[in-house]
Amino acid sequence: MKRAVIYARYSSSSQTEQSIEGQIRVCSEYAKAKGLTIVGEYIDRAISGRTDNRPDFQRLIADCNKHLFEAVIVYRTDRFARNKYDSAIYKRHLRKCNIELHYAAEHIPEGPEGIILESLMEGLAEYYSAELSQKIRRGIRESALKGKATGGNIALGYKIGPDKSFVIDEKEAEAVRMIFDMFVRQKTNAEICEYLNGLGLKTSRGNPFTKSSVPRIIQNEKYIGVYKCGDIRLEDAVPPIISKEVFLMAQKENARRRTSKQAALPRADYLLSGKLFCGHCKRKMTGVSGTGKSGGKFYYYYCPSARYKKGCDKKQVPKDWIEDLVVSETLDHILRPEAVKYIANACYEIQLKDKSGNEEIEFFRRRIAENKKAVSNTLRAIESGVDTMSLPVRLKELEMEGLQLHDELKAAEARKIILTPEHIEFMLMQYAEKGADEQAYKKEIIDCFVSEVYLYDNRLVIYYNINKNHPELAESDLALLESDVFDQRDLSSTIIPVQK
């Protein structure tokens, strides 16, 4: 039996352990049906899937390298990530570690069309997450305009008063003053942390200070009384801990330190990594870089057999050229009417096979009923004349919780909607419009549609995530006999047919 772990997560404080219990129950039942043995659980509470800064998620990714398990089970695609870029990056990491990713409550098969459907579903999850976040932000905007705490980590040196305003915590504030004082006296971050930890002081999260703790504190304008929340910025809305003069001195010192550091060279992202193969020896081509005589950086894909002279003489190709060519050919191939129609129908059939239950929807409906009951009880207590200042505050909290629960229910119900072939065709055609981030756009095209690419001396064969029963859609054979960039050698080199 394969060893598997469960990753569970919920996003907002309006959800409870019941959400986690429901996810674990469904994932456990799925594991039993698939013959997987659960050996561990990773759980993040009240953390959005739009960020990868989740403690147990990062622990899960780190443990992938230790070969403790062979599969990861999550409730749905949006539990793993609601950000398409993060999802692609971490799923690639799982694949490199030979770890399978299973969705317990969504039917996404291992076949080629399943990869495309999964990409479309991730896009929807990201959209509904953004919509939900927008509504929640509107709900807390009123508190932000009054300079009140709206959740999240509290900056070192402050605590929250009864009316949710910021109050100085004198014991922690002394540590903040020490940090600013030592920083402007040009003490290193390491020296500052060593001194504070030696006194037994802790960060706002109760952890020892690290070198990364210092820059966050130094650049936080809250310490001079500035309140910031989204696009809201209020001067003198928070009691200051540091004078503006000291804060300005710290910013000048911080700027001096930044300019003294050598700028790090950007790392190349080889979009065809793991998908590009040498047509001659069938080995995966790897991304490498080199520096020219003028100091410029050059990026290529190499066949390892050719590079280390092990029986293949395929020359390297420029990274950007081959990636642009694959993306261009993929768009021309996938956006053909017959290809779009086939993919849309195939993805639609996959959704119809999804027999998962409505546990998530039922959970939020139950929580909404509980919330309404709590609101009713609180109102009765107020009307009966119970003399306590906490009841109105509690009522407001319950009303805010009710709004968030309704938003979560709406998102859960939207995830149950089956996309029609027409909807899927529309979504596919959006790929015709290049995104603002060109590199991210090309990566999305390759990750979603491209299965394998075989590079010969005079042609390029691309295999797509389309069932092989339709060979005219599943692959494209691009001949480039006229291209000097493609390969500089004599074009009579032996061409070995691709064995699929």
Side-chain angles (χ1 to χ4, degrees):
M1 277 191 175
K2 287 184 178 179
R3 296 169 298 171
V5 295
I6 295 172
Y7 175 72
R9 175 189 66 79
Y10 64 79
S11 301
S12 67
S13 58
S14 64
Q15 294 173 275
T16 67
E17 285 298 314
Q18 297 176 56
S19 174
I20 294 295
E21 291 171 2
Q23 292 178 49
I24 291 177
R25 184 183 69 255
V26 174
C27 290
S28 298
E29 292 171 355
Y30 174 89
K32 184 177 180 181
K34 295 292 183 180
L36 302 173
T37 302
I38 302 298
V39 297
E41 297 172 357
Y42 298 81
I43 299 171
D44 283 312
R45 296 170 172 85
I47 302 178
S48 170
R50 298 184 71 192
T51 174
D52 63 349
N53 187 21
R54 293 171 263 153
D56 254 31
F57 181 78
Q58 289 299 330
R59 186 167 65 88
L60 166 68
I61 297 302
D63 286 350
C64 288
N65 301 314
K66 301 176 183 178
H67 307 292
L68 302 176
F69 45 84
E70 291 82 40
V72 175
I73 306 173
V74 295
Y75 181 64
R76 287 183 179 272
T77 52
D78 61 353
R79 297 302 91 187
F80 186 73
R82 277 186 165 175
N83 178 301
K84 290 190 73 173
Y85 179 78
D86 286 346
S87 179
I89 290 295
Y90 289 112
K91 283 195 294 187
R92 178 181 293 181
H93 181 77
L94 293 184
R95 286 196 298 270
K96 285 183 178 180
C97 297
N98 295 316
I99 295 174
E100 301 172 355
L101 179 60
H102 296 260
Y103 303 114
E106 285 178 335
H107 181 77
I108 298 180
E110 297 179 1
E113 288 86 3
I115 298 173
I116 296 176
L117 177 61
E118 182 179 3
S119 181
L120 297 178
M121 296 299 288
E122 286 172 353
L124 277 179
E126 187 173 13
Y127 167 77
Y128 283 116
S129 175
E131 184 183 45
L132 177 61
S133 296
Q134 186 180 36
K135 290 181 178 179
I136 292 175
R137 283 196 298 271
R138 284 201 299 266
I140 64 175
R141 186 175 180 82
E142 192 64 31
S143 294
L145 288 171
K146 298 176 183 178
K148 304 294 185 181
T150 57
N153 188 45
I154 304 170
L156 182 70
Y158 291 99
K159 57 186 177 181
I160 305 302
D163 61 348
K164 292 193 174 182
S165 61
F166 288 93
V167 180
I168 294 177
D169 183 321
E170 285 301 335
K171 183 178 179 180
E172 291 186 357
E174 192 58 35
V176 174
R177 298 186 185 104
M178 289 181 191
I179 291 171
F180 274 88
D181 178 62
M182 296 179 72
F183 191 85
V184 297
R185 289 192 289 112
Q186 299 187 353
K187 298 293 184 181
T188 67
N189 292 353
E191 289 173 329
I192 295 172
C193 293
E194 183 180 1
Y195 181 74
L196 295 174
N197 292 332
L199 294 176
L201 299 176
K202 302 291 184 181
T203 67
S204 58
R205 295 182 181 273
N207 301 319
F209 286 89
T210 65
K211 289 188 291 185
S212 62
S213 306
V214 176
R216 285 197 297 269
I217 292 173
I218 290 299
Q219 298 174 67
N220 192 343
E221 291 184 291
K222 183 170 287 183
Y223 295 122
I224 55 173
V226 177
Y227 176 96
K228 291 193 293 186
C229 180
D231 61 342
I232 297 173
R233 177 186 172 90
L234 304 175
E235 300 281 349
D236 302 320
V238 180
I241 294 176
I242 300 297
S243 70
K244 293 183 179 179
E245 292 75 18
V246 171
F247 187 83
L248 181 60
M249 291 169 62
Q251 304 320 300
K252 289 182 178 179
E253 171 61 16
N254 195 38
R256 183 193 69 80
R257 298 188 188 192
R258 282 202 305 267
T259 55
S260 65
K261 294 180 180 179
Q262 183 178 359
L265 293 174
R267 295 184 61 184
D269 186 7
Y270 292 91
L271 305 183
L272 290 171
S273 177
K275 296 190 176 188
L276 180 62
F277 295 81
C278 171
H280 300 285
C281 67
K282 305 301 182 293
R283 290 193 64 182
K284 287 182 181 179
M285 299 185 73
T286 56
V288 295
S289 63
T291 304
K293 293 181 180 179
S294 62
K297 203 77 172 175
F298 298 91
Y299 302 93
Y300 297 92
Y301 284 98
Y302 266 96
C303 170
S305 295
R307 191 180 189 195
Y308 299 109
K309 304 185 186 307
K310 294 185 177 180
C312 185
D313 59 355
K314 181 76 187 80
K315 284 191 175 181
Q316 75 272 17
V317 290
K319 169 188 175 297
D320 289 341
W321 178 80
I322 188 67
E323 290 175 353
D324 289 344
L325 179 61
V326 169
V327 169
S328 175
E329 178 66 10
T330 298
L331 290 174
D332 289 344
H333 187 86
I334 293 300
L335 298 185
R336 289 186 294 157
E338 61 270 31
V340 170
K341 189 173 185 62
Y342 170 78
I343 293 172
N345 287 328
C347 290
Y348 177 67
E349 292 296 328
I350 289 173
Q351 294 176 92
L352 294 180
K353 296 176 182 177
D354 184 2
K355 303 299 182 182
S356 58
N358 296 314
E359 294 90 349
E360 190 177 20
I361 293 174
E362 291 172 2
F363 165 76
F364 286 118
R365 286 175 176 168
R366 185 169 62 252
R367 288 286 292 114
I368 287 172
E370 293 170 356
N371 175 267
K372 288 181 177 178
K373 184 176 180 180
V375 169
S376 179
N377 291 340
T378 305
L379 283 172
R380 277 200 296 269
I382 294 174
E383 291 169 354
S384 66
V386 175
D387 187 18
T388 172
M389 295 296 293
S390 64
L391 285 177
V393 175
R394 177 56 180 159
L395 179 61
K396 192 169 184 178
E397 290 175 349
L398 287 170
E399 289 173 344
M400 181 64 70
E401 180 185 82
L403 291 173
Q404 293 176 348
L405 285 169
H406 276 93
D407 285 336
E408 291 279 9
L409 174 61
K410 182 180 177 182
E413 290 174 336
R415 286 191 288 270
K416 289 295 295 181
I417 295 175
I418 294 180
L419 299 175
T420 67
E422 290 75 20
H423 288 146
I424 298 172
E425 286 185 30
F426 174 80
M427 293 172 71
L428 289 172
M429 293 306 298
Q430 302 312 298
Y431 286 108
E433 299 180 10
K434 186 178 294 185
D437 186 337
E438 185 174 356
Q439 190 73 355
Y441 171 75
K442 291 191 292 186
K443 176 179 174 56
E444 187 173 345
I445 297 296
I446 291 172
D447 286 348
C448 182
F449 299 109
V450 176
S451 175
E452 295 177 346
V453 179
Y454 285 82
L455 179 63
Y456 297 91
D457 295 340
N458 59 349
R459 54 192 268 259
L460 187 72
V461 181
I462 306 174
Y463 291 90
Y464 300 103
N465 292 318
I466 297 177
N467 195 290
K468 297 175 186 176
N469 294 331
H470 297 269
E472 73 281 2
L473 300 181
E475 65 180 78
S476 62
D477 192 333
L478 185 62
L480 296 173
L481 294 173
E482 74 283 3
S483 176
D484 293 332
V485 180
F486 201 81
D487 197 278
Q488 300 294 329
R489 296 171 303 172
D490 184 84
L491 295 178
S492 62
S493 300
T494 303
I495 300 175
I496 303 174
V498 177
Q499 299 298 322
K500 293 295 287 182

